[in-house]
Amino acid sequence: MNEKEALVEYCLRIGDTSLISGQRMSEWCGHAPILEEDIALTNIALDLIGQARMLYGYAAQVEGKSRTEDDLAYFRDARQYRNVLLAELPNGDFAMTVARQFLLSVYSYHLYTQLCASSDKQLAAFAAKSIKEVAYHVRHFNDWVLRLGDGTQESHQRLQEAVNELWNFVDDLFMADEVDQMMEKAKIGADHNALRAVWETTVLKTLADAKITVPAVNNFMRSGSRAGNHTEYLGYVLAEMQSLPRSYPDAKW
């Protein structure tokens, strides 16, 4: 794999995580617990999908194979997606969504912070624009983690159960492979060891403030997204998201 191919792969990984996260967030439209939150989650979904579009457009440009952002979003199969596993997990109850998106938003925030200094100017510009949106996402879900964790007995229990389940997928965020190593060496991508350190500092502080216990590390930590190994849930997300363009591939708005 050369550096150009690695850059395309790197952009797809970040873009896929944003797209699938956005798709999951959009499922709350009309179903959130209060009207204000319904609007907030819908706007966050739009932010994430917008970030995916920018990365897909750049990946297609670098690749130079005449593919478009729509081709990358709608005409790849599950094994060709590179989103982190956390992004594709079902929404569950509101506590589950809050916990999942908090973990992902903190990850994206610190990732984009590093990418702002990327030697790739377009990737740096993407990060500089997107970090403003993600900073809001972190604040939003951080507040909900504190509110639920230090709230009623039921809200605390639900959030604790959500963190217990989601923690099995945390290692997948930081599993660096050849692509990550190439991008880091070229000063294009992030340092995953440094990324994990700042992510843990942020996440563990908030969970402690919310009186949530961090689960013990076990032998069942899930990973493999960078190689296209996903949970069964991604297929269902893609089936819904891709049904219209695959049924009418030549349709124009």
Side-chain angles (χ1 to χ4, degrees), residues 199-211:
W199 180 88
E200 287 183 346
T201 298
T202 303
V203 168
L204 296 182
K205 181 183 185 306
T206 296
L207 293 181
D209 291 343
K211 300 180 173 61

Side-chain angles (χ1 to χ4, degrees), residues 22-83:
Q23 181 71 12
R24 281 302 192 197
M25 282 290 100
S26 72
E27 294 172 6
W28 277 102
C29 184
H31 301 282
I34 55 176
L35 178 60
E36 183 179 14
E37 189 62 16
D38 199 299
I39 296 170
L41 294 182
T42 302
N43 282 327
I44 289 170
L46 290 172
D47 287 343
L48 293 168
I49 293 170
Q51 291 165 21
R53 288 192 62 187
M54 286 190 285
L55 286 165
Y56 287 160
Y58 183 44
Q61 176 188 331
V62 173
E63 183 183 53
K65 294 182 180 179
S66 300
R67 289 201 291 181
T68 67
E69 62 186 60
D70 284 348
D71 293 326
L72 295 172
Y74 297 126
F75 296 98
R76 286 183 295 146
D77 297 328
R79 286 299 300 269
Q80 296 172 306
Y81 269 73
R82 297 294 185 262
N83 59 279

Side-chain angles (χ1 to χ4, degrees), residues 188-233:
I188 294 174
D191 177 341
H192 273 67
N193 291 328
L195 181 58
R196 181 161 199 159
V198 291
W199 180 88
E200 287 183 346
T201 298
T202 303
V203 168
L204 296 182
K205 181 183 185 306
T206 296
L207 293 181
D209 291 343
K211 300 180 173 61
I212 295 296
T213 302
V214 176
V217 176
N218 57 51
N219 296 324
F220 301 100
M221 299 289 277
R222 295 287 304 274
S223 62
S225 63
R226 284 169 173 77
N229 298 321
H230 295 279
T231 68
E232 63 185 90
Y233 304 113

